[in-house]
Structures are given as structure tokens and as C-alpha cells.
């Protein structure tokens, strides 16, 4: 609780987000979130000093993930037929936040959920499964499909800024599940809109909104599928 979230609406620290009332049923999980990049936005009061290696390891892991993210943006841009420089400008300075997820076991796992169905309000998220307990599911064609994490591999979930996938986390009856997810998004000043290079002369399916407004709308409601990005549909 030394690192619990402030009451000023910040996401950083220990605690859950998307909690709007005392009566709300919470997800079956403990979460700890810190902003890692740009470095100037780090609030070190939320960075534990014990264990003594925590801060250094977080800093190095965060830096290495920016390299992974740069590669992913390059490949995505190439696949879309967009100049990589377009994405480099959208995601300059590599805004990034890291969240630790701890999902305790529950003997009645069918009555709880680790994290409610949602899509990430980022460009994409990079997830590292810490232990061998599975629980991640994605929604495809109306069905929930279990994702089997490969040992020592990273899972990439596309976020709302690109073309999001709805997902959720389920609970194990006997064993805890632990994961670490890094959210990579654009700068708050970026205007979310269909890329002209992709749409061309075709019909627009989505409107536009600043990323800052989008994030504000996202965190002013409970987790509920892809509801925020759906509201941008024309």
C-alpha cells in the first residue's frame, strides 16, 4: 500500500482502474502500473526500491521493449504499404507504460474474471507471461479462444489505435497467474483518424478524435469490450 494509487485520478501505482463506484464488482486481480517512457514522465515515488534491482531492471527492460516496438511498427507500416516514417512520427518518443498483473486462484473460478473483456487503448501492447499458468483469451467471430503463451515469448495485442482485438483474462482454480504488459501508444497530441495512405479514395469507417480525448473517454467508464472505439464508427 506504500505504492497505492493517488486519489487524483492517476493510473500509476498499486490498485485497479476503471472503478466508478463502491458497488461495482471488481475484477479478480491485483495490478501495479508505472509510466516508463518518456523518461521525463516517470514518477519515481511509485518505483519500489526493494528489491534493490527493481528500478534498474525496469529501466533496462523498458528500453529493450522500445526496440521491439520500433521493429513492430516498421513491419506493420510495410504490411500496410505506409512509409515507416509515418508511424515513427505518430509514436515518437515511444510513450510506454508497464503494468504487473497478479491473478490469485479462486476455487469458484467460474464466478469471477481476472480482467473484464476489453480492448487496449494503445497502439499495441506487449505481454510477457511470467509463469506457466494460462488465462488469456481473445474474441474472434463471437467466440472466446484461449491463447497458449509460448515459453520465453512475447504476445502482441493490437490496440484501438491500430485495429484492436478484444480480450479478457480468466482465473485458475488452484494456481495464480502473473503477467507483465507494456502499453505502447502515441503522444496525447496525435489525432486518431484513418490513415489517408490506407484509405485512399475509399469510404471512411471511423471518425477522428485526439488521443487525449480518447484516453479520457476510455477511463471514464467501466471496461466494456470495444465500446469507445465503436463510438467512432461512422
Amino acid at each position: 500500500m506504500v505504492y497505492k494509487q493517488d486519489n487524483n485520478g492517476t493510473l500509476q501505482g498499486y490498485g485497479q482502474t476503471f472503478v466508478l463506484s463502491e458497488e461495482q464488482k471488481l475484477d479478480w486481480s491485483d495490478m501495479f502500473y508505472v509510466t516508463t517512457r518518456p523518461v521525463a514522465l516517470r514518477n519515481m515515488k511509485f518505483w519500489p526500491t526493494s528489491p534493490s534491482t527493481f528500478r534498474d531492471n525496469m529501466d533496462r527492460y523498458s528500453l529493450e521493449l522500445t526496440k521491439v516496438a520500433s521493429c513492430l511498427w516498421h513491419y506493420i507500416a510495410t504490411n500496410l504499404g505506409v512509409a515507416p516514417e509515418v508511424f515513427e512520427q505518430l509514436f515518437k518518443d515511444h510513450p510506454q507504460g508497464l503494468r504487473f498483473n497478479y491473478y490469485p486462484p479462486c476455487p469458484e473460478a467460474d464466478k469471477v474474471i481476472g480482467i473484464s473483456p476489453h480492448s487496449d487503448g494503445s497502439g499495441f501492447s506487449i505481454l510477457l507471461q511470467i509463469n506457466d499458468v494460462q488465462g488469456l483469451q481473445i474474441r474472434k467471430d463471437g467466440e472466446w479462444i484461449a491463447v497458449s503463451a509460448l515459453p520465453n515469448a512475447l504476445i502482441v495485442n493490437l490496440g484501438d489505435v491500430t485495429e484492436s482485438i478484444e480480450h479478457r483474462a480468466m482465473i485458475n482454480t488452484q494456481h495464480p497467474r502473473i503477467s507483465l504488459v507494456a502499453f505502447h501508444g502515441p503522444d496525447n497530441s496525435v489525432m486518431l483518424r484513418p490513415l489517408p495512405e490506407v484509405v485512399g479514395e475509399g469510404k471512411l469507417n471511423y471518425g477522428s478524435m485526439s488521443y487525449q480525448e480518447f484516453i479520457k473517454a476510455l477511463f471514464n467508464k467501466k471496461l466494456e469490450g470495444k465500446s469507445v472505439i465503436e463510438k467512432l464508427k461512422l
Side-chain angles (χ1 to χ4, degrees), residues 61 100-105 127-136 147-155 169-181:
Y61 184 67
F100 295 84
N101 302 313
Y102 175 75
Y103 303 102
L127 184 139
L128 175 66
Q129 183 98 346
I130 304 299
N131 59 0
D132 59 0
V133 177
Q134 306 293 337
L136 177 64
V147 176
S148 296
L150 300 176
N152 302 315
L154 298 171
I155 295 174
M170 305 304 289
I171 298 300
N172 191 282
T173 57
Q174 297 181 322
H175 305 287
R177 176 173 175 258
I178 306 172
S179 65
L180 173 58
V181 59

Side-chain angles (χ1 to χ4, degrees), residues 5-151:
Q5 295 171 349
D6 289 336
N7 293 324
N8 59 5
T10 180
L11 301 178
Q12 297 196 73
Y14 168 81
Q16 292 203 9
T17 53
F18 305 101
V19 179
L20 303 182
S21 71
E22 293 289 338
E23 294 75 29
Q24 182 178 330
K25 183 178 180 180
L26 300 181
D27 290 335
W28 193 265
S29 57
D30 289 328
M31 299 180 179
F32 175 75
Y33 176 87
V34 290
T35 297
T36 46
R37 295 196 176 270
V39 174
L41 295 183
R42 292 179 180 178
N43 189 335
M44 301 309 293
K45 78 174 186 178
F46 292 112
W47 289 53
T49 55
S50 178
S52 59
T53 56
F54 179 85
R55 291 186 172 187
D56 182 58
N57 285 345
M58 284 282 285
D59 182 59
R60 289 190 291 127
Y61 184 67
S62 167
L63 177 60
E64 291 301 317
L65 281 185
T66 63
K67 300 175 184 178
V68 176
S70 292
C71 289
L72 289 172
W73 288 132
H74 179 85
Y75 294 138
I76 291 173
T78 301
N79 183 263
L80 291 173
V82 176
E85 293 78 16
V86 173
F87 276 17
E88 289 174 6
Q89 184 63 27
L90 288 174
F91 299 96
K92 63 181 179 180
D93 298 328
H94 295 284
Q96 178 197 76
L98 293 183
R99 189 184 72 204
F100 295 84
N101 302 313
Y102 175 75
Y103 303 102
C106 179
E108 297 182 273
D110 59 323
K111 296 183 179 180
V112 297
I113 192 165
I115 189 166
S116 301
H118 68 287
S119 58
D120 295 331
S122 58
F124 54 64
S125 53
I126 302 176
L127 184 139
L128 175 66
Q129 183 98 346
I130 304 299
N131 59 0
D132 59 0
V133 177
Q134 306 293 337
L136 177 64
Q137 295 182 348
I138 62 170
R139 189 173 188 136
K140 179 175 174 57
D141 299 327
E143 301 290 334
W144 286 106
I145 302 173
V147 176
S148 296
L150 300 176

